[in-house]
Amino acid sequence: MSAEPAGEPRPRRGRPRGTSARQLEEIALRLFTEQGFHETTVDQIAASAGVSRRTFFRYYDAKSDVLWNEFDSEVDTIRELLADTPDGLPVLEAVRRAVLAANHYRAEDVPELRMRMNLLSTVAELAASATRHYDDWERAVISFVAHRTGQPEDSLYPLAVGRAVLATCRAAYERWSARADADLTLYLDAGLRALAAGFSDEVLTAEPEAP
């Protein structure tokens, strides 16, 4: 993959340092997959992690939230990066840079992400919880666009940009998880560049290729 232009933030590489929240997430994913979501209790997750039930609820409000730890951290990072964006940078370019800088998924992470996607698609409670988390991700972009344009968050352009960006990133995520041949940033970068170009015929040529 070609190098980023000078001055752009480099995407993060590798997983962030382990935390209690991350450990709980990994253990919960394993237990949900082995035993079933409804069959796995908070007490079992906490015991497997060597922490108390109270500690679990310091990190998560509900059992269904445990699989969204890294996703929610990504949303927080995107929001912080967008808040620090120079005013002269075009909106979609600022969003693209923030999304790439916040992302750290690599090809070797695909098996775990596939387990997560399987749970989200087969467990109604988890599927319902997804809406709130996706809304938070979308809202981070909408708020930035509203600030930059001086328009209310519920007006046309902030909503359109936020929803278009989320849809593009979800498409990139799905294609990356199917191919598992590169970092997710390869697909995010290609999709967001195409969005910024208005999905013109000139950019809708071929899928990105892994380096």
Side-chain angles (χ1 to χ4, degrees):
M1 183 168 55
S2 61
E4 291 283 349
E8 293 200 8
R10 292 178 60 83
R12 297 177 182 178
R13 294 293 184 239
R15 288 196 172 279
R17 292 183 179 179
T19 65
S20 295
R22 173 59 182 158
Q23 291 166 1
L24 288 168
E25 181 184 22
E26 290 176 320
I27 290 167
L29 178 60
R30 174 176 58 80
L31 292 175
F32 292 162
T33 302
E34 293 174 354
Q35 303 178 170
F37 175 76
H38 294 294
E39 292 73 19
T40 301
T41 66
V42 169
D43 288 335
Q44 288 176 322
I45 298 170
S48 295
V51 299
S52 67
R53 178 185 178 90
R54 178 180 296 180
T55 297
F56 177 92
F57 285 111
R58 276 175 32 206
Y59 289 107
Y60 302 107
D61 293 331
K63 185 173 69 172
S64 59
D65 289 338
V66 73
L67 297 183
W68 293 96
N69 172 56
E70 292 196 63
F71 184 91
D72 291 343
S73 295
E74 181 179 311
V75 173
D76 290 340
T77 301
I78 290 172
R79 187 178 290 109
E80 291 168 3
L81 291 169
L82 289 175
D84 292 336
T85 297
D87 290 339
L89 196 64
V91 166
L92 284 177
E93 176 64 9
V95 171
R96 184 185 70 85
R97 294 188 187 190
V99 169
L100 295 185
N103 185 270
H104 59 260
Y105 290 118
R106 307 179 72 174
E108 53 264 37
D109 296 319
V110 168
E112 177 185 327
L113 273 295
R114 285 177 177 166
M115 286 192 290
R116 190 188 314 274
M117 291 171 67
N118 180 63
L119 286 165
L120 291 173
S121 64
T122 58
V123 179
E125 184 175 340
L126 289 174
S129 75
T131 300
R132 175 170 60 84
H133 295 276
Y134 286 134
D135 284 348
D136 288 344
W137 198 103
E138 185 180 271
R139 184 59 53 185
V141 176
I142 290 172
S143 297
F144 168 70
V145 178
H147 173 73
R148 283 288 299 269
T149 61
Q151 300 174 23
E153 291 189 9
D154 60 353
S155 59
L156 175 61
Y157 296 132
L159 287 172
V161 174
R163 291 174 182 173
V165 169
L166 176 61
T168 299
C169 290
R170 291 185 67 179
Y173 180 93
E174 290 177 13
R175 194 58 181 144
W176 165 75
S177 65
R179 298 185 75 181
D181 60 349
D183 290 359
L184 175 54
T185 49
L186 179 71
Y187 293 93
L188 291 170
D189 186 44
L192 292 173
R193 287 183 185 275
L195 174 63
F199 290 120
S200 63
D201 290 346
E202 289 76 12
V203 300
L204 300 180
T205 54
E207 281 199 305
E209 294 295 331

